[in-house]
Short mmCIF file of all heavy atoms in Angstrom, two decimals:
data_model
loop_
_atom_site.label_atom_id
_atom_site.label_comp_id
_atom_site.label_asym_id
_atom_site.label_seq_id
_atom_site.Cartn_x
_atom_site.Cartn_y
_atom_site.Cartn_z
N VAL M 16 0.83 -1.20 0.00
CA VAL M 16 0.00 0.00 0.00
C VAL M 16 0.87 1.25 0.00
O VAL M 16 0.61 2.21 -0.73
CB VAL M 16 -0.96 0.00 1.20
CG1 VAL M 16 -1.62 1.38 1.38
CG2 VAL M 16 -2.04 -1.07 1.02
N PHE M 17 1.94 1.26 0.82
CA PHE M 17 2.81 2.43 0.90
C PHE M 17 3.94 2.39 -0.11
O PHE M 17 4.68 3.37 -0.24
CB PHE M 17 3.40 2.53 2.32
CG PHE M 17 2.49 3.18 3.32
CD1 PHE M 17 1.56 2.44 4.02
CD2 PHE M 17 2.54 4.55 3.55
CE1 PHE M 17 0.71 3.03 4.94
CE2 PHE M 17 1.70 5.16 4.46
CZ PHE M 17 0.77 4.39 5.15
N GLN M 18 4.08 1.28 -0.84
CA GLN M 18 5.17 1.11 -1.80
C GLN M 18 6.51 1.45 -1.17
O GLN M 18 7.32 2.22 -1.70
CB GLN M 18 4.92 1.95 -3.06
CG GLN M 18 3.93 1.31 -4.03
CD GLN M 18 4.43 -0.02 -4.59
OE1 GLN M 18 5.41 -0.06 -5.33
NE2 GLN M 18 3.76 -1.11 -4.23
N ALA M 19 6.73 0.85 0.00
CA ALA M 19 7.96 1.10 0.76
C ALA M 19 8.32 -0.15 1.54
O ALA M 19 7.43 -0.92 1.96
CB ALA M 19 7.76 2.27 1.72
N PRO M 20 9.61 -0.39 1.77
CA PRO M 20 10.00 -1.53 2.60
C PRO M 20 9.54 -1.31 4.04
O PRO M 20 9.53 -0.18 4.55
CB PRO M 20 11.52 -1.55 2.49
CG PRO M 20 11.89 -0.14 2.15
CD PRO M 20 10.78 0.38 1.30
N VAL M 21 9.16 -2.39 4.69
CA VAL M 21 8.72 -2.34 6.08
C VAL M 21 9.78 -2.98 6.96
O VAL M 21 10.22 -4.11 6.71
CB VAL M 21 7.37 -3.06 6.28
CG1 VAL M 21 6.99 -3.09 7.76
CG2 VAL M 21 6.27 -2.35 5.48
N PHE M 22 10.19 -2.26 7.98
CA PHE M 22 11.14 -2.77 8.96
C PHE M 22 10.42 -2.90 10.30
O PHE M 22 9.56 -2.08 10.63
CB PHE M 22 12.32 -1.81 9.12
CG PHE M 22 13.19 -1.69 7.89
CD1 PHE M 22 12.82 -0.87 6.84
CD2 PHE M 22 14.36 -2.41 7.78
CE1 PHE M 22 13.60 -0.75 5.70
CE2 PHE M 22 15.16 -2.32 6.65
CZ PHE M 22 14.78 -1.48 5.60
N VAL M 23 10.75 -3.92 11.02
CA VAL M 23 10.14 -4.10 12.34
C VAL M 23 11.15 -3.70 13.40
O VAL M 23 12.36 -3.80 13.22
CB VAL M 23 9.66 -5.55 12.57
CG1 VAL M 23 8.50 -5.87 11.66
CG2 VAL M 23 10.79 -6.55 12.38
N MET M 24 10.60 -3.23 14.52
CA MET M 24 11.44 -2.72 15.58
C MET M 24 10.82 -3.09 16.92
O MET M 24 9.61 -3.04 17.09
CB MET M 24 11.58 -1.20 15.46
CG MET M 24 10.26 -0.48 15.27
SD MET M 24 10.42 1.19 14.65
CE MET M 24 11.54 1.91 15.80
N ASP M 25 11.65 -3.48 17.83
CA ASP M 25 11.20 -3.83 19.17
C ASP M 25 11.66 -2.71 20.10
O ASP M 25 12.76 -2.76 20.66
CB ASP M 25 11.78 -5.17 19.60
CG ASP M 25 11.31 -5.58 20.99
OD1 ASP M 25 10.32 -5.00 21.47
OD2 ASP M 25 11.94 -6.47 21.60
N VAL M 26 10.82 -1.69 20.20
CA VAL M 26 11.18 -0.52 21.00
C VAL M 26 10.27 -0.47 22.22
O VAL M 26 9.07 -0.22 22.09
CB VAL M 26 11.06 0.78 20.19
CG1 VAL M 26 11.39 1.97 21.07
CG2 VAL M 26 11.98 0.74 18.99
N SER M 27 10.83 -0.73 23.37
CA SER M 27 10.08 -0.64 24.61
C SER M 27 10.29 0.76 25.20
O SER M 27 11.41 1.27 25.21
CB SER M 27 10.56 -1.71 25.59
OG SER M 27 9.87 -1.62 26.82
N ASN M 28 9.19 1.35 25.68
CA ASN M 28 9.29 2.69 26.29
C ASN M 28 10.00 3.67 25.35
O ASN M 28 10.99 4.31 25.70
CB ASN M 28 10.04 2.63 27.62
CG ASN M 28 9.29 1.82 28.67
OD1 ASN M 28 8.06 1.78 28.68
ND2 ASN M 28 10.02 1.16 29.54
N SER M 29 9.47 3.79 24.14
CA SER M 29 10.18 4.55 23.10
C SER M 29 10.35 6.02 23.47
O SER M 29 11.38 6.62 23.12
CB SER M 29 9.44 4.43 21.76
OG SER M 29 8.10 4.88 21.85
N ALA M 30 9.38 6.63 24.16
CA ALA M 30 9.53 8.05 24.53
C ALA M 30 10.69 8.22 25.50
O ALA M 30 11.50 9.15 25.38
CB ALA M 30 8.23 8.58 25.13
N CYS M 31 10.76 7.34 26.48
CA CYS M 31 11.82 7.39 27.49
C CYS M 31 13.19 7.18 26.83
O CYS M 31 14.15 7.93 27.09
CB CYS M 31 11.55 6.29 28.51
SG CYS M 31 12.02 6.66 30.18
N LEU M 32 13.26 6.16 25.98
CA LEU M 32 14.51 5.87 25.29
C LEU M 32 14.92 7.03 24.39
O LEU M 32 16.09 7.42 24.33
CB LEU M 32 14.36 4.59 24.47
CG LEU M 32 15.58 4.14 23.66
CD1 LEU M 32 16.76 3.87 24.59
CD2 LEU M 32 15.24 2.90 22.84
N GLY M 33 13.93 7.60 23.67
CA GLY M 33 14.22 8.73 22.79
C GLY M 33 14.81 9.91 23.54
O GLY M 33 15.69 10.62 23.03
N CYS M 34 14.36 10.11 24.78
CA CYS M 34 14.88 11.24 25.56
C CYS M 34 16.27 10.95 26.10
O CYS M 34 17.07 11.88 26.29
CB CYS M 34 13.90 11.60 26.66
SG CYS M 34 12.38 12.34 25.98
N ALA M 35 16.59 9.69 26.33
CA ALA M 35 17.97 9.35 26.68
C ALA M 35 18.88 9.63 25.49
O ALA M 35 19.99 10.16 25.65
CB ALA M 35 18.06 7.88 27.11
N TYR M 36 18.41 9.27 24.27
CA TYR M 36 19.17 9.61 23.07
C TYR M 36 19.35 11.13 22.95
O TYR M 36 20.43 11.63 22.63
CB TYR M 36 18.45 9.12 21.82
CG TYR M 36 18.39 7.63 21.60
CD1 TYR M 36 17.34 7.06 20.87
CD2 TYR M 36 19.37 6.77 22.09
CE1 TYR M 36 17.27 5.70 20.64
CE2 TYR M 36 19.31 5.41 21.86
CZ TYR M 36 18.26 4.87 21.14
OH TYR M 36 18.19 3.52 20.90
N ARG M 37 18.27 11.86 23.19
CA ARG M 37 18.31 13.32 23.05
C ARG M 37 19.25 13.93 24.09
O ARG M 37 19.93 14.93 23.81
CB ARG M 37 16.90 13.91 23.20
CG ARG M 37 15.96 13.54 22.05
CD ARG M 37 14.55 14.07 22.28
NE ARG M 37 14.55 15.47 22.57
CZ ARG M 37 14.33 15.98 23.78
NH1 ARG M 37 14.07 15.21 24.81
NH2 ARG M 37 14.37 17.28 23.96
N ALA M 38 19.29 13.34 25.29
CA ALA M 38 20.22 13.82 26.31
C ALA M 38 21.65 13.66 25.83
O ALA M 38 22.49 14.55 26.02
CB ALA M 38 20.00 13.05 27.62
N ARG M 39 21.93 12.54 25.18
CA ARG M 39 23.28 12.32 24.68
C ARG M 39 23.63 13.33 23.59
O ARG M 39 24.74 13.88 23.56
CB ARG M 39 23.42 10.89 24.14
CG ARG M 39 24.84 10.56 23.67
CD ARG M 39 24.98 9.07 23.36
NE ARG M 39 26.37 8.74 23.06
CZ ARG M 39 26.87 8.67 21.82
NH1 ARG M 39 26.10 8.91 20.77
NH2 ARG M 39 28.14 8.37 21.63
N GLN M 40 22.67 13.60 22.69
CA GLN M 40 22.95 14.58 21.64
C GLN M 40 23.20 15.96 22.24
O GLN M 40 24.12 16.68 21.84
CB GLN M 40 21.80 14.66 20.64
CG GLN M 40 22.11 15.63 19.48
CD GLN M 40 20.90 15.97 18.65
OE1 GLN M 40 19.76 15.72 19.05
NE2 GLN M 40 21.13 16.55 17.49
N GLY M 41 22.38 16.34 23.22
CA GLY M 41 22.56 17.65 23.85
C GLY M 41 23.91 17.77 24.54
O GLY M 41 24.53 18.83 24.52
N TRP M 42 24.35 16.68 25.15
CA TRP M 42 25.66 16.69 25.84
C TRP M 42 26.79 16.77 24.82
O TRP M 42 27.76 17.50 25.03
CB TRP M 42 25.77 15.43 26.68
CG TRP M 42 27.09 15.26 27.38
CD1 TRP M 42 27.54 15.97 28.44
CD2 TRP M 42 28.10 14.30 27.07
NE1 TRP M 42 28.78 15.51 28.83
CE2 TRP M 42 29.15 14.48 27.99
CE3 TRP M 42 28.22 13.30 26.11
CZ2 TRP M 42 30.30 13.71 27.99
CZ3 TRP M 42 29.37 12.52 26.09
CH2 TRP M 42 30.40 12.74 27.02
N LEU M 43 26.66 16.05 23.71
CA LEU M 43 27.70 16.10 22.68
C LEU M 43 27.72 17.46 21.98
O LEU M 43 28.75 17.88 21.47
CB LEU M 43 27.47 14.99 21.64
CG LEU M 43 27.71 13.56 22.13
CD1 LEU M 43 27.22 12.56 21.09
CD2 LEU M 43 29.18 13.33 22.44
N GLY M 44 26.55 18.12 21.95
CA GLY M 44 26.44 19.43 21.30
C GLY M 44 25.62 19.31 20.04
O GLY M 44 26.13 18.85 19.00
N SER M 45 24.36 19.69 20.11
CA SER M 45 23.47 19.54 18.95
C SER M 45 23.92 20.40 17.78
O SER M 45 23.54 20.15 16.64
CB SER M 45 22.03 19.90 19.34
OG SER M 45 21.96 21.24 19.82
N ASP M 46 24.76 21.42 18.06
CA ASP M 46 25.29 22.24 16.97
C ASP M 46 26.49 21.56 16.31
O ASP M 46 26.95 22.00 15.25
CB ASP M 46 25.71 23.61 17.50
CG ASP M 46 26.73 23.53 18.64
OD1 ASP M 46 26.76 22.49 19.34
OD2 ASP M 46 27.48 24.50 18.82
N LYS M 47 26.99 20.49 16.92
CA LYS M 47 28.16 19.80 16.40
C LYS M 47 27.81 18.44 15.79
O LYS M 47 28.54 17.93 14.94
CB LYS M 47 29.19 19.59 17.52
CG LYS M 47 29.68 20.89 18.14
CD LYS M 47 30.55 20.61 19.35
CE LYS M 47 30.97 21.90 20.04
NZ LYS M 47 31.71 21.65 21.30
#
């Protein structure tokens, strides 16, 4: 229907995990 490959992902607590990722980016420097 979407004419696109489908990938599956096992993401538990995705919002929480995403914010841990975002914390790492902010620490590394989002401008860098």
Side-chain angles (χ1 to χ4, degrees):
V16 168
F17 278 87
Q18 281 297 294
V21 175
F22 294 81
V23 292
M24 49 197 306
D25 181 17
V26 178
S27 178
N28 295 328
S29 58
C31 214
L32 179 61
C34 290
Y36 290 153
R37 292 176 52 254
R39 183 170 187 265
Q40 183 193 15
W42 177 72
L43 291 171
S45 59
D46 57 334
K47 300 173 184 175

